[in-house]
């Protein structure tokens, strides 16, 4: 690890000011992605701005027809929250599938969406549930927030404050885990919303999380796994690595989508 200067922010305004004025500054949330990359010398920020003592960034609240979760809320809190389990059980299930207990007790929702790892779980939930990401500057719909591999619409001095998930009628997430890393080799989140069906896929696309309009159209006509018979995604555009080739991932997208629809119907 290279040397860096540690700053403990006491409020959002201070964190924003530090990000704006310091050279090569990075926010530190749960540290589950940032610290390993720093240890491996894949990242070398000169300054770390710690969000852990900033008040008001963590918590889970039902606000009308939306579930609002603070950026510093840990995955374990989402997984075990009776409010989440009642309002969007698929989201609690998803949080409980992330990494291992240590990762879930430190990793945060804000860190996960800001990092936008192509194999991460939350981006699929945000996209399928049509979530809004609320930052220190604006509100961004998920379709505009996730822009590519490890890329988001966030500006360098912009902080994710909370995420608002509109309540779906039905939803489910099915994840084919990489047994070594526990990240998604392919994960599919299906949401039946009052006015539309959304299907979002993580782990598979070369450009990160994506929706599958053909699946969504078919499921709008008939919300059943059978509606997806004969449909698939092209292997072109799927990532390929030692864990699975593009054809394999394309096949898994169809399989996991059907499983997710079946789970949502239960
Ligand atoms: C062994 C292991 C297994 C894992 N398995 C999975 C898995 O199965 N599924 C999965 O989805 N993830 C997995 N993860 C990643 C985990 O979910 C991380 O918690 C997450 O990616 C990052 O969250 P964090 O709070 O740790 O962020 P950090 O590591 O602290 O930060 C990550 C990045 O986000 C930025 N950031 C953090 N918070 C904010 C904010 N509020 N606003 C703007 N930028 C911010 C940071 O500056 C940094 O660039 C795994 C990690 C490990 C180490």
């Amino acid at each position: 690890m290279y040397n860096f200067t540690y700053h403990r922010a006491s409020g959002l305004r201070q964190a924003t000011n530090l990000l704006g004025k310091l050279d090569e500054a990075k926010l530190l949330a749960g540290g589950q992605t940032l610290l390993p990359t720093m240890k491996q010398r894949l990242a070398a920020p000169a300054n770390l701005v710690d969000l852990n003592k900033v008040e008001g960034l963590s918590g889970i609240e039902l606000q009308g027809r939306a579930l609002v979760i603070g950026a510093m809320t840990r995955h374990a809190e989402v997984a075990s929250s009776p409010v989440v389990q009642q309002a969007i059980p698929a989201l609690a299930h998803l949080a409980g599938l992330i990494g291992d207990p240590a990762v879930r007790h430190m990793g945060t929702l804000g860190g996960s969406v800001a990092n936008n790892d192509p194999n991460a779980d939350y981006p699929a939930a945000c996209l399928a549930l049509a979530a809004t990401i609320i930052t220190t500057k604006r509100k961004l719909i998920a379709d505009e927030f996730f822009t590519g591999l490890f890329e988001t619409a966030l500006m360098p001095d912009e902080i994710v404050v909370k995420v608002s998930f509109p309540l779906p009628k039905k939803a489910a997430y099915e994840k084919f885990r990489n047994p070594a890393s526990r990240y998604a080799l392919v994960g599919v989140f299906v949401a039946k919303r009052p006015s539309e069906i959304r299907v979002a896929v993580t782990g598979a696309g070369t450009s990160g999380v994506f929706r599958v309009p053909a699946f969504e159209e078919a499921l709008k006509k008939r919300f059943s796994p059978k509606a997806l018979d004969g449909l698939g995604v092209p292997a072109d555009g799927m990532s390929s690595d030692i864990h699975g080739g593009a054809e394999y991932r394309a096949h898994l997208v169809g399989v996991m989508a059907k499983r997710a629809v079946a789970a949502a119907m239960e």
Side-chain angles (χ1 to χ4, degrees), residues 192-216:
K192 185 173 190 192
R193 296 178 15 87
S195 57
E196 60 176 351
I197 310 273
R198 284 177 167 239
V199 179
V201 177
T202 189
T206 48
S207 305
V209 65
F210 65 94
R211 286 173 64 187
V212 191
F215 288 10
E216 294 176 354

Side-chain angles (χ1 to χ4, degrees), residues 27 29-34 75 99 107-108 114 120-121 160 175 182-183:
L27 292 170
Q32 296 303 293
T33 296
L34 185 56
H75 309 324
T108 67
D121 300 295
V160 177
K175 172 177 181 177
R182 311 206 181 182
Y183 277 92

Side-chain angles (χ1 to χ4, degrees), residues 166-183:
L167 302 191
K169 287 173 136 179
K170 292 176 178 175
Y173 179 62
E174 287 291 321
K175 172 177 181 177
F176 193 89
R177 269 180 161 180
N178 177 324
S181 73
R182 311 206 181 182
Y183 277 92

Side-chain angles (χ1 to χ4, degrees), residues 65-153:
R65 298 292 303 155
L67 183 65
V68 181
I69 305 182
M72 286 298 290
T73 311
R74 317 283 165 177
H75 309 324
E77 293 174 70
V78 175
S80 64
S81 158
V83 177
V84 183
Q85 286 167 359
Q86 172 76 33
I88 314 181
L91 197 61
H93 172 68
L94 173 148
L97 294 175
I98 295 176
D100 52 38
V103 170
R104 291 197 290 277
H105 279 86
M106 288 304 292
T108 67
L109 170 63
S112 182
V113 297
N115 194 51
N116 193 18
D117 187 302
N119 297 91
D121 300 295
Y122 272 125
C126 292
L127 200 54
L129 292 166
T132 299
I133 290 90
I134 296 139
T135 76
T136 39
K137 291 185 191 291
R138 57 203 163 136
K139 294 179 178 180
L140 287 154
I141 56 168
D143 299 77
E144 289 169 4
F145 183 82
F146 302 107
T147 54
L149 292 189
F150 297 103
E151 296 285 339
T152 69

